[in-house]
Each structure stands twice: as structure tokens, then as C-alpha cells.
């Protein structure tokens, strides 16, 4: 069975997939903020990426630096097969939970 | 956009202490890029430096937070015992809580130094643990007092050193926290070298 993902982990993994070859720390942070529509701490995204890497859901490689970054390298992330399976499972679970219900929910209060 | 703007050196040093050695370059590069590209041009030096410092604190490792909560829980337990179950003699309680507190701060430093391989980071972790715990301990004691301030409890508080002690004691542990963290860190870093354990960098490579 694939790993169970939290909502924030899904947001980070999907951002990595959307960004493709450009998925590095700052770009992922901006993508997550845009998709969630709120400010997100850089440390939260870093901790999540670290956790996902520990679980083998993402892998990373160091790229080159730029003058804007003071020459410091970017770390690029890529979702692994295990990460794709976890996302598919998360989507299937959500769809199963919602099946038969109309969205947005109305009249249940 | 400013290619020469630079965040405070102390904040970068602190960031280095929070991260695994292999992560500092990429993470500090991300923050510097955002600082120069977006924050500094829009908000100016002072606000940009404040933004950078707040971002650095979001990297405080979960381990430091765990030890801070543990230290704070110990302090609040002792406070609650003194207020609600006051002893005739505080000597035994003082010894136990001091030993447990020393152990917690040394363990925080030891843990951080083991992770990073540097005893200096143990000192920072020890003082941060005590610093974060100070805030939660004082807030916790204030909540206790807000709910229980009957005459009997007020007498017990006075006999146990007064509310001033509850407020000042956590704050004065910050400096000893650094020393104990350094002590624990030195022991841990030495043990790590002795066992020749490499520093961790858990990112699998793509």
C-alpha cells in the first residue's frame, strides 16, 4: 500500500509535478502559495520536502547557482514512482469519499 | 531587484545552525533569491531583514521544538505541584527539577550536535530550547493563574517564591541553556567522531 499523504504533502507533490524541470525550493514555495491561496512559510515547505524525500516519494539533485542567489546552488526536486502512486491513491480516496455527493455541499446544516 | 542587498549575517548564521550541512546552500540561496528579487525592492532594507529573520525561525527544527515543549512541561508540572500540592520542604523537588532540566537542555544540545556534527550548534540548540520554553512556560503559568487564583493558591504561590519567580526563572535558563547545550553538544560531537559516523544528508539523488 502507498503512503498516506496529508493535504499539505499533496500540495507540495503536485507543485513539484506542475513545475517539472523547474521544481526548486523557491518555485515550489510560490506554487504552493498560489494554489493554496495563502502565505506559506519556507520552513514548512522545506520540512515537507525533507519528509517526502525520507519516504522516497521525491528525489533531488543540486543544480547551478545564479548571481541573484549569491552563487548558491538550487536543489531541484522530482517526484518518484512511489510519490505518483501515493498521489493517485490520495485522489482515489478523495473521490471515493465524495462519490454520490454534490459539490459544493448545500442543505446539510 | 538588488543584486547587492544582503540579509543580516546573524540570521544566516542561525539558519546554518538549523539545517543539515547539505541543505544550507540551496535553502539560503532560495531565501536570498526571494529577498533580493521580491522582498527588498518592495519593502526596503528594514522590513526585508525582518522578513528574512521570521523565515529563518520557520526552519527551527522539530527536535528543538520537542525539547522546548518537554522543558516547558517540566517547568509547568513543577509550578502546578508547588501551587496546588505545596510541600513542607522544597529541597527534594528543587533537586529533582534541576537535574531533569539540566538533562533536558544537555540532551537538546547533544541531539543537535549529533545531527550537525558541531558542538556550537549544540549551544545554539540549548539556548533556543530554553528560550522557546520560556515563552510557553510563562504563558502556561499565566493561564494557570487566570483559572486558579483563590486565596489558598495565592498563599501557596507566595510561599513557593512568588509569581515573579515563575516569570523570571524560565528567562534566566537561557544562558545556562547555551552552556549545557554546548556541553551536551561537545560530548555528542566527540562521540560521533569517535564512532566515525558521517553527517546526515537524507536527500536521495535524482
Amino acid at each position: 500500500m502507498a503512503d498516506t499523504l496529508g493535504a499539505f504533502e499533496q500540495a507540495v507533490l503536485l507543485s513539484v509535478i506542475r513545475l517539472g524541470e523547474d521544481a526548486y525550493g523557491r518555485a515550489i514555495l510560490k506554487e504552493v502559495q498560489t494554489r493554496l491561496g495563502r502565505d506559506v512559510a519556507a520552513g514548512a515547505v522545506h520540512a515537507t520536502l525533507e519528509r517526502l524525500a525520507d519516504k522516497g516519494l521525491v528525489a533531488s539533485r543540486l543544480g547551478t547557482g545564479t548571481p541573484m542567489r549569491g552563487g548558491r546552488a538550487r536543489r531541484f526536486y522530482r517526484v518518484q514512482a512511489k510519490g505518483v502512486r501515493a498521489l493517485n491513491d490520495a485522489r482515489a480516496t478523495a473521490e471515493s469519499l465524495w462519490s454520490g455527493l454534490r459539490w459544493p455541499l448545500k442543505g446539510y446544516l | 531587484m538588488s543584486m547587492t542587498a544582503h540579509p543580516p549575517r546573524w540570521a544566516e548564521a542561525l539558519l546554518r545552525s538549523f539545517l543539515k550541512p547539505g541543505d544550507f546552500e540551496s535553502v539560503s540561496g532560495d531565501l536570498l533569491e526571494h529577498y533580493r528579487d521580491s522582498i527588498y525592492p518592495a519593502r526596503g532594507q528594514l522590513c526585508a531583514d525582518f522578513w528574512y529573520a521570521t523565515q529563518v525561525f520557520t526552519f527551527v527544527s522539530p527536535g528543538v521544538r520537542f525539547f522546548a515543549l518537554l522543558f516547558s512541561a517540566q517547568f509547568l508540572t513543577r509550578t502546578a505541584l508547588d501551587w496546588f500540592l505545596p510541600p513542607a520542604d522544597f529541597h527534594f523537588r528543587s533537586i529533582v527539577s534541576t537535574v531533569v532540566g539540566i538533562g533536558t537542555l544537555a540532551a537538546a544540545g547533544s541531539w543537535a550536535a549529533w545531527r550537525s556534527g558541531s558542538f556550537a550548534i549544540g549551544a545554539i540548540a540549548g539556548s533556543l530550547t530554553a528560550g522557546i520554553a520560556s515563552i510557553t512556560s510563562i504563558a502556561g503559568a499565566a493561564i494557570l493563574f487566570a483559572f486558579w487564583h483563590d486565596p489558598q493558591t495565592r498563599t501557596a504561590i507566595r510561599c513557593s517564591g512568588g509569581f515573579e519567580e515563575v516569570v523570571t526563572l524560565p528567562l534566566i535558563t537561557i544562558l545556562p541553556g547555551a552552556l549545557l547545550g554546548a556541553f551536551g553538544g561537545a560530548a555528542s560531537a566527540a562521540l560521533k567522531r569517535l564512532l566515525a559516523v558521517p553527517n546526515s544528508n537524507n536527500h536521495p539523488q535524482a
Side-chain angles (χ1 to χ4, degrees), chain A residues 55-74:
Chain A
K55 289 183 189 174
L57 274 58
V58 296
S60 69
R61 66 176 171 83
L62 280 178
T64 53
T66 64
M68 179 62 87
R69 300 168 60 85
R72 297 167 195 177
R74 286 175 172 161

Side-chain angles (χ1 to χ4, degrees), chain A residues 1-16:
Chain A
M1 189 181 152
D3 291 80
T4 306
L5 297 172
F8 195 73
E9 288 177 325
Q10 288 180 49
V12 171
L13 276 175
L14 289 168
S15 297
V16 172

Side-chain angles (χ1 to χ4, degrees), chain B:
Chain B
M1 186 186 306
S2 173
M3 304 289 274
T4 52
H6 209 281
R9 304 275 176 203
W10 64 265
E12 284 211 310
L14 209 55
L15 179 67
R16 186 185 288 275
S17 74
F18 293 153
L19 295 169
K20 292 175 189 161
D23 286 345
F24 177 72
E25 185 175 354
S26 58
V27 170
S28 67
D30 287 339
L31 285 180
L32 183 61
E33 185 181 324
H34 198 53
Y35 176 93
R36 286 178 172 172
D37 189 35
S38 305
I39 308 296
Y40 183 89
R43 305 187 197 172
Q45 178 84 53
L46 198 65
C47 286
D49 286 353
F50 179 74
W51 171 86
Y52 192 92
T54 56
Q55 290 300 311
V56 166
F57 278 100
T58 68
F59 286 88
V60 172
S61 70
V64 168
R65 274 178 269 172
F66 166 77
F67 283 110
L69 279 179
L70 190 65
F71 192 62
S72 184
Q74 289 160 8
F75 179 83
L76 285 173
T77 303
R78 167 76 201 276
T79 302
L81 282 173
D82 286 356
W83 288 7
F84 307 125
L85 292 169
D89 181 10
F90 287 93
H91 187 65
F92 178 69
R93 273 189 195 174
S94 299
I95 289 174
V96 172
S97 55
T98 303
V99 169
V100 172
I102 285 172
T104 304
L105 293 173
S110 175
W111 173 85
W114 181 270
R115 201 162 169 262
S116 64
S118 159
F119 90 94
I121 288 173
I124 293 170
S127 59
L128 261 176
T129 299
I132 295 169
S134 297
I135 298 164
T136 50
S137 298
I138 293 168
I143 291 168
L144 280 180
F145 187 72
F147 281 100
W148 291 280
H149 49 267
D150 52 279
Q152 194 185 344
T153 308
R154 291 166 89 103
T155 306
I157 293 170
R158 254 197 317 279
C159 293
S160 68
F163 200 78
E164 307 81 57
E165 188 181 286
V166 174
V167 174
T168 52
L169 196 61
L171 293 171
I172 60 174
T173 60
I174 294 173
L175 183 60
L179 295 173
L180 289 165
F183 178 75
S188 176
L191 183 66
K192 194 173 183 179
R193 281 198 195 106
L194 201 69
L195 299 173
V197 178
N199 288 331
S200 59
N201 180 12
N202 292 338
H203 294 288
Q205 296 302 300

